[in-house]
Amino acid sequence: MSEVNIAKRKEKCENCTKQCNKKQSDDGANSNQESEEVNGQVNEGSQLLLSACLSCDGCLSDEDTLKISQQGLEEVERVLALNKKCDASKHKVLVASVCPQSLPFFAVKFGVDITEAAHKLCGFLKHIGVQYVFDTTLAAGFSILESQKEFIQRYRRRHHDSHALPMFTSSCPGWIRYSERVLGSLVTPHICTARSPQQIMGCLVKDYFSKQQKLSPEKLYHVVVAPCFDKKLEAVREEFYNSMLETRDVDCVLTSGQIYYLMEQRKVSVEELDSVPLDQVLGDGGDVALVRHDGRGSEGFLEHVFKHAAKELFGVDVQEITYKTLRNRDFQEVTLERDGETLLQFAAVYGFRNIQTLVHRMRKGRVPYQLVEVLSCPGGCLSGRGQAESEGGAGRLDKALVNQMEEIYSSLPVRLPEFNPALHTLYQEWLEGQDSSQARKLLHTEYRDQSHGHAQPPHMQW
């Protein structure tokens, strides 16, 4: 990025800070930080949403804005319309991948159980012209397994690599964007390199599935249905674009709310929709029961890595994980102890206020955790602003909706990715083994310091 563009971005960001009515006062953020940690109280009125800060126009370059403009309903409808008009040889095969955290939203809106909601959603998507509909749980399994493996590697080199620990999870694009653009080298070396479930799903569709269908990747148009607007920012990252074929791993991200709006716009009622089972990446194996991973409303990276590390490093089988709430429900820690010695200490940190506290401690060298699961949305992925915002907007959550979604999501049975035969098959057939160069190439990425050495905007100083 040129110096001129960097200066413009900095100027825009500082102007945004002055104008944003959600910003917290600098003095308050600095002077109250430690006192808030002691008494555990959080001033919700001064909360600055990470997604609101980083996804606004003030932080987006002209190039970013153009890319994001292609991540809307209009673009999907354009592709659908072209498929009806143009020569069949120019048709795109539409593939939709649905995040499991989006399904409870549709269950609530449709007034049905989560399995029926998935089938009705699949029926709607196929009704409008989507040929294949998957869920991303399989891709999340890859991401969890690779994160587990990387944590063990980092833990074992912790004494001679100062950047090995703590390891931060990498599935939240809001957190990643903030780390790269604001925190820079303080945090980026600590971020797990495993791709997020969304982007692994992109590889599965554009690489493995396209070959199975004997199609070139650019012939597929891949849409992801997600609970979060920030997933659009992730889809347009440079490393997920194939310049030779001029195609992205994920062509478009639509939020759950956007899909529901499309249904309303087309005046489609739930009753008239067919119930259609989801497709399977490995082919037609019948209707497979929906499952989830451990964790409350997210993919459960903390819980899976914690149990795996306890067994792999210390020979301890952890059946149930007990969370200790620190500042609030969105700042919790998990500890493994033996004979009075702390063996592992992990934390789950959700929401911008809690992320601020985490980074403040890190600057002072006071982070005791080996792993931190970081999510920018308070409450986790189910609370993504693409599905959980109240009808009045203004960044407020619909708490009743979130409570319903949490209850529905927790009703799904938990399945450990280690015991998913489809993952073992794909590791061999697609990736040439678990530790192959192909697995490293398609399941991992890297995160870079993009802060360019500039001072942080006033509202991001601690």
Side-chain angles (χ1 to χ4, degrees):
M1 182 180 292
S2 71
E3 291 299 321
V4 173
N5 285 337
I6 292 169
K8 282 183 178 179
R9 191 179 76 187
K10 185 172 184 288
E11 180 183 350
K12 288 167 73 177
C13 192
E14 290 179 349
N15 183 60
C16 174
T17 302
K18 294 170 187 173
Q19 300 300 324
C20 181
N21 60 11
K22 290 192 183 75
K23 89 174 187 73
Q24 56 193 1
S25 76
D26 302 322
D27 292 339
N30 284 311
S31 62
N32 293 334
Q33 193 77 45
E34 292 302 317
S35 62
E36 283 184 346
E37 289 181 41
V38 174
N39 60 34
Q41 299 299 310
V42 178
N43 181 2
E44 294 295 338
S46 64
Q47 186 179 57
L48 176 62
L49 298 175
L50 181 57
S51 55
C53 171
L54 292 178
S55 300
C56 74
D57 290 341
C59 282
L60 297 178
S61 67
D62 293 339
E63 185 180 1
D64 286 336
T65 303
L66 177 61
K67 290 175 182 176
I68 297 300
S69 70
Q70 298 167 349
Q71 295 279 314
L73 280 172
E74 299 81 3
E75 188 66 15
V76 174
E77 297 209 79
R78 183 188 68 80
V79 174
L80 289 169
L82 282 175
N83 274 0
K84 292 179 180 179
K85 293 177 182 179
C86 68
D87 183 273
S89 64
K90 298 180 181 178
H91 283 189
K92 296 275 190 179
V93 175
L94 272 83
V95 179
S97 298
V98 183
C99 297
Q101 292 81 16
S102 288
L103 292 176
F105 170 83
F106 293 104
V108 173
K109 293 296 184 181
F110 295 170
V112 298
D113 65 51
I114 192 167
T115 300
E116 181 65 6
H119 291 176
K120 289 284 188 180
L121 175 62
C122 183
F124 170 70
L125 293 171
K126 293 199 171 185
H127 170 72
I128 65 173
V130 176
Q131 283 95 324
Y132 299 94
V133 182
F134 305 121
D135 90 281
T136 65
T137 304
L138 187 66
F142 274 120
S143 190
I144 289 169
L145 292 177
E146 293 299 310
S147 297
Q148 289 178 173
K149 189 189 309 178
E150 181 169 332
F151 177 79
I152 298 300
Q153 293 169 350
R154 283 174 175 263
Y155 185 88
R156 286 175 172 158
R157 69 172 190 263
R158 69 193 185 283
H159 293 306
H160 60 269
D161 180 357
S162 62
H163 292 141
L165 299 177
M167 184 176 93
F168 296 119
T169 57
S170 56
S171 64
C172 174
W175 159 242
I176 293 300
R177 185 176 177 84
Y178 181 53
S179 298
E180 289 185 322
R181 297 203 173 195
V182 179
L183 303 177
S185 59
L186 174 72
V187 166
T188 50
H190 295 269
I191 298 174
C192 178
T193 65
R195 293 193 187 196
S196 73
Q198 171 176 297
Q199 295 310 134
I200 290 179
M201 195 69 206
C203 284
L204 263 173
V205 169
K206 290 293 182 87
D207 189 72
Y208 178 80
F209 184 70
S210 67
K211 291 174 183 174
Q212 298 305 304
Q213 298 300 312
K214 297 180 171 57
L215 292 169
S216 180
E218 72 271 16
K219 293 291 290 182
L220 297 178
Y221 187 83
H222 184 204
V223 181
V224 167
V225 180
C228 173
F229 283 105
D230 285 350
K231 285 294 182 182
K232 297 174 184 283
L233 295 167
E234 180 178 30
V236 300
R237 288 176 66 95
E238 289 180 15
E239 60 266 37
F240 304 138
Y241 178 72
N242 186 321
S243 57
M244 289 183 64
L245 297 175
E246 296 185 344
T247 185
R248 296 190 181 283
D249 294 339
V250 176
D251 295 289
C252 185
V253 176
L254 296 179
T255 66
S256 318
Q258 286 179 305
I259 293 291
Y260 191 67
Y261 171 78
L262 181 61
M263 293 182 67
E264 292 182 319
Q265 195 179 44
R266 296 199 174 203
K267 295 181 171 56
V268 175
S269 67
V270 176
E271 293 74 22
E272 67 189 76
L273 286 172
D274 293 330
S275 291
V276 181
L278 298 175
D279 298 297
Q280 305 302 316
V281 173
L282 284 176
D284 187 14
D287 188 17
V288 178
L290 291 173
V291 296
R292 67 178 176 91
H293 295 123
D294 274 325
R296 56 178 184 90
S298 300
E299 288 296 353
F301 284 88
L302 181 150
E303 296 202 14
H304 286 280
V305 176
F306 187 85
K307 290 178 179 179
H308 178 75
K311 179 68 174 176
E312 181 76 13
L313 297 172
F314 305 105
V316 178
D317 279 309
V318 177
Q319 299 300 321
E320 293 292 329
I321 286 182
T322 302
Y323 285 91
K324 177 184 177 183
T325 300
L326 300 181
R327 289 166 54 85
N328 48 64
R329 184 171 178 259
D330 283 334
F331 200 129
Q332 300 182 313
E333 68 176 32
V334 178
T335 304
L336 177 69
E337 296 180 341
R338 185 168 61 189
D339 299 329
E341 180 187 2
T342 298
L343 303 178
L344 292 174
Q345 194 170 6
F346 287 13
V349 177
Y350 301 168
F352 196 17
R353 293 282 295 189
N354 290 326
I355 291 173
Q356 285 181 309
T357 300
L358 173 69
V359 177
H360 182 72
R361 291 178 180 179
M362 193 168 181
R363 291 191 190 283
K364 292 192 172 185
R366 289 169 31 206
V367 175
Y369 311 116
Q370 291 94 19
L371 178 140
V372 185
E373 181 181 82
V374 189
L375 299 172
S376 65
C377 288
C381 295
L382 282 176
S383 301
R385 276 5 188 226
Q387 66 181 22
E389 193 168 86
S390 64
E391 292 185 7
R396 289 187 176 86
L397 279 182
D398 185 333
K399 293 183 179 179
L401 173 60
V402 171
N403 289 338
Q404 285 179 283
M405 290 193 294
E406 287 179 346
E407 184 177 349
I408 291 169
Y409 186 76
S410 64
S411 71
L412 287 172
V414 172
R415 182 179 188 175
L416 293 177
E418 289 92 333
F419 302 119
N420 187 340
L423 287 173
H424 294 289
T425 298
L426 285 166
Y427 264 119
Q428 298 307 316
E429 289 186 3
W430 176 40
L431 299 169
E432 302 167 6
Q434 291 197 17
D435 297 309
S436 67
S437 58
Q438 186 77 344
R440 179 71 195 174
K441 174 185 174 184
L442 296 179
L443 302 182
H444 290 260
T445 186
E446 61 181 30
Y447 301 101
R448 303 174 300 277
D449 176 2
Q450 298 177 23
S451 61
H452 303 287
H454 286 280
Q456 294 174 7
H459 65 301
M460 295 178 183
Q461 292 178 350
W462 301 287

